[in-house]
Structures are given as C-alpha cells and as structure tokens.
Amino acid sequence: MNLNIALIGLVACISVTGTARAAVSPDEMKKLGTTLTPWGAEKAANASGTIPAYTGGIIEMPPGFVKSNPGVRPDPFDKDKPLYRIDAKNAEQHNDKLTPGTLALIRKYPTFYVDVYPTHRSATYPSTVLENTVKNAERCALIADGDGLDTSKGCGFGLPFPIPKSGLEVMWNHAARYRGLSFVSKNFSTYYVKPSGEIVVTQRSNLYRELGLYDTRKNPPDTFGLVRLEYYSPARLNGQTTQYYDRVADSERRAWSYQPSTRRVRLAPDLAGDAPVSTVGGAMVYDEEQIFSGKRDRYNWKLVGKKEVLIPYNAYKLTNSDNSNACKGDAKLLPNHLKSECVRWEMHRVWHVQATLKEGKRHVYQKRDFFLDEDTFAAGIEENYDKSGSLYRVNINPGVPAYDLQAPGITDQYILDLVTGIYIWMSPEGGHVHYPALAPSSLTPESMTTHILKP
C-alpha cells in the first residue's frame, strides 16, 4: 500500500475516533502525509528550486555497500560536483543563506569555505516510526515545565511533535530523533586540534546508545537516551566506563563513572549541564553533546520559525573516506578547522530555535541558536554566545543518514571555538553500526567494572 495513502487513512481514523487532543487541529492533522511528511517537514520543493520535493529518501543501497561491513557507508552522491563556492570574497552576497556562525568562520579563517552541492533529501524512516509519529501529534504533551513527556495517552515510538508549536517541542523532536533502538559507534575517537595544527587524540572508546522512546519492551517508555562509553585509549583511560540515561518524565539524568584506579563505581551528577567534558580536553560542555543533551530548565526556548540555510549534509565523504582521498583519518584536520573540501554543504529548511538563559540561572552560554534540519531533527548547527554576547562556539552536526538502518538521525560532531581557535572532531573510525539492545541487567552500575561491548 502506498505509504501516503495509508497515513492519510490513519490520520482520518484518529480524528474520527475522537482521541484527538487540543494541541493540533484537525486541519493540521490532515497535512501530515499530504502537504507535510509524516514527521512534519514540507513535502514540496522551495520556490527557488534549491530544495527539492521529498520523494522518499534513499531506498536502494548505493554501489559498494557491503552488508557485512555496515560501518562503512559509501557516498550515494559521489558523482555530484559543487554548484558554487562561498568564501571570504563572496560571503556577503550569500549571507542570507548562512548562519551567523558559518559566516563568522568564513570571515575569520581564509582557508574556510563552503562548497555548495545539490540538495538531496535522503532521510528515510521505518513505517512503524512514521505511523507512531503521526499518532503522537495528538497523544504527546509536555509536562514538568517542558522537561518531560506525558506518556499517559500512548506517546512514544516516534517523533513526539510532528507539528511543533514551540521551541521546546522542536528540541524534544531533536532528543527523540530516530537512530534505531540501539547502535554502537565503533572506535569512537575525539581529535583535539590546536591552532598550531598539533593533533591530540584525547580518547578512544566504544560508545553504545539506546533510544528508549523506541523500546517496545517498555510501554510506556521511561527513558529517552542511554549512553555507555567504554574507554580503551589513552592508557590513563583504559578500562574506564561512563554511563548515563535521561528520564522521559523530567529529563533528569542518572550518571555513573567507573575508574580502574579506584576500583569503584561512583555516581557522577556532574556529567550534565555546562560541566566541561574532561575526556575531550574541556572543548565542549555536557549539554552540547550531539547539539543538545539533557535538561532544558536553565533556558527560555523560543521557536523563531523555519528558514532555508546551508548546513553540512550527506557528508559521507567526511565520515567514510577511503584510502584514495584526502579526507581519510587525520588528513582532513587542518589548523582551526576541518579541510573545507571534505565537507559537503547543502541547502535545507531548518527549524530555528533560540534559547536565552533564565534570570537567576547559570550557564557558560548566555544565548544559543539552534538550526535543525526539518527532515531529521539531527543535522544542523548550534551557535553559542558568551555572557558578553559574543559568538563563542559553533557546534556542527554533519548529517550522514544511515540508509541501511533507515536511521536519518545519526550524526558526527564538530565543535569550533572562535575565541581560542581550537576545535574538536568526534567520529567513530569503525562507523556507527547496529547493535542489539542490551538487557537491563547488562546495564546496571555494577556492570561497569567490565567492558561488555563487542562491536
């Protein structure tokens, strides 16, 4: 059955049976699966033709994809050539399509430029995720001052707010972006690059993620994100394990850390908020992990609206480079930024959300702007301002949809400090690979004394 037809029928059924909640009108519901995709993106092309209509994403595996080596995803668009380049010489004529952070990087670094490629709306989702996303439009609601989801009406197993009405709802879609139920980032590495060009690999680990909102073993779901990091390099981190999860009811984080030197598993409440992440040299804070992670209670969240901007997207060349190109391993790491030729930029519609620090609250960032892709709620850019109002850090998540998993929300991370000139590149050398969801008994604090991940 045609998916759109099925979704139209589903929407009609939901409305007729009277289970609708007040947040989304019947007219808005009719748009899901018709003028909007089931996750609320605009299906049509933009007026200028720089963003195509959504036609179903990547359905067939590209040549060279080897099922037995799923961490390596060949670039399905490797024949594309840049349409044009934006650099310091012509940035002003394109500034309406650049975020302030991108424009600042172009102005600051002569070697930073943006190669603009044809846009491909490559996201795909499993049908069950789409069906639940449409249902969630009428069964999800915010609680706990926006830090929790009301699951009493069945909310879960899809994006919670396909027709978001507020900045908080967009940020919940980001938190719930689809990445499958569980996966491992194999040989996950952080490169810390000094302005001199010196490269320090601050950590290597295997990183396990479990996305509880998609866990059918728990209905209703009680967590929306679990992370377990098992470190093996450098030697001072070997054997260390960090684990935390965030609760659906209020986004409260429960975190633990195990260090072989003490042979103790300890509670780690400081693995949240604006605490610097020591394993990446303090070049980021905990709540900017994957653009944003954790509680939202320190900020007022404003939905500015949608706009069309250039963001890194379909960046397979950056994350799955092979031996023959200049983007493999640390070859792409220049002083101050990644090699510009390795980063593919495309025009996409994004949700713009602005967070401003609440009176009486403390955080190293006074203001934060988020630009999140309408098709994935994952790819995009976050821009952080310090207390003087100056742009401090630019946090980029290049979109790299995992087409074999129908998981468009998997991204790598690239954070640039405009004050110091330091940046970090965080990516798994073994790729992001499906990993069976672990039993709860395998994820207890007591389990952290032993490395259990075998990707």
Side-chain angles (χ1 to χ4, degrees), residues 189-204 234 280-281 326-339 421-426 429:
S189 304
T190 300
Y191 294 89
Y192 177 101
V193 185
K194 300 179 182 179
S196 64
E198 180 185 354
I199 300 167
V200 180
V201 181
T202 61
Q203 67 85 31
R204 294 188 195 276
V280 301
C327 303
K328 181 177 174 59
D330 59 10
K332 58 179 166 286
L333 306 175
L334 297 180
N336 302 124
H337 60 82
L338 294 173
K339 193 178 288 181
I422 291 168
Y423 74 95
I424 55 173
W425 167 243
M426 308 169 72
E429 294 176 355

Side-chain angles (χ1 to χ4, degrees), residues 159-206:
L159 295 168
F161 300 107
I163 302 180
K165 305 283 190 177
S166 68
L168 277 168
E169 291 184 353
V170 171
M171 296 310 292
W172 264 105
N173 284 344
H174 170 68
R177 62 200 182 279
Y178 184 68
R179 292 167 282 176
L181 170 57
S182 54
F183 68 93
V184 162
S185 301
K186 185 178 177 182
N187 300 334
F188 179 63
S189 304
T190 300
Y191 294 89
Y192 177 101
V193 185
K194 300 179 182 179
S196 64
E198 180 185 354
I199 300 167
V200 180
V201 181
T202 61
Q203 67 85 31
R204 294 188 195 276
S205 59
N206 286 314

Side-chain angles (χ1 to χ4, degrees), residues 6 36 135 137 162 291 326:
L36 301 178
K135 292 178 181 177
I291 286 191

Side-chain angles (χ1 to χ4, degrees), residues 300-371:
N300 293 309
W301 299 85
K302 176 185 176 183
L303 177 55
V304 179
K306 266 191 180 177
K307 60 185 304 183
E308 297 170 6
V309 297
L310 294 162
I311 57 175
Y313 210 99
N314 292 312
Y316 297 96
K317 183 178 179 182
L318 180 64
T319 60
N320 291 304
S321 52
D322 59 32
N323 289 319
S324 63
N325 69 44
C327 303
K328 181 177 174 59
D330 59 10
K332 58 179 166 286
L333 306 175
L334 297 180
N336 302 124
H337 60 82
L338 294 173
K339 193 178 288 181
S340 295
E341 70 181 81
C342 300
V343 186
R344 177 188 178 114
W345 295 72
E346 297 182 1
M347 187 74 74
H348 284 266
R349 297 188 191 96
V350 300
W351 293 98
H352 180 192
V353 176
Q354 189 172 81
T356 52
L357 197 62
K358 289 180 178 176
E359 187 174 348
K361 294 290 186 180
R362 299 180 60 184
H363 196 288
V364 67
Y365 301 141
Q366 182 72 23
K367 188 183 81 165
R368 311 168 78 156
D369 281 293
F370 299 85
F371 304 92

Side-chain angles (χ1 to χ4, degrees), residues 7 46 74 212 214:
L7 287 165
N46 67 347
Y214 297 92

Side-chain angles (χ1 to χ4, degrees), residues 263-309:
R263 305 173 107 181
R264 294 286 187 275
V265 177
R266 301 181 188 278
L267 287 169
D270 56 337
L271 302 187
D274 63 349
V277 181
S278 62
T279 52
V280 301
M284 63 179 286
V285 298
Y286 271 96
D287 73 6
E288 65 183 331
E289 195 257 338
Q290 292 278 293
I291 286 191
F292 191 83
S293 168
K295 288 180 72 74
R296 306 153 195 83
D297 59 339
R298 301 191 196 189
Y299 291 95
N300 293 309
W301 299 85
K302 176 185 176 183
L303 177 55
V304 179
K306 266 191 180 177
K307 60 185 304 183
E308 297 170 6
V309 297

Side-chain angles (χ1 to χ4, degrees), residues 10 17 49 87 99 116 126-127 130 151 180 199 207 240 255 268 277-278 293 313 318 398 427 430 446-447 452:
L10 174 63
T17 54
D87 57 21
T99 68
V116 182
S127 59
L130 299 182
T151 58
I199 300 167
L207 186 157
Q240 182 172 321
V277 181
S278 62
S293 168
Y313 210 99
L318 180 64
S427 182
E446 293 76 16
S447 73
I452 60 174

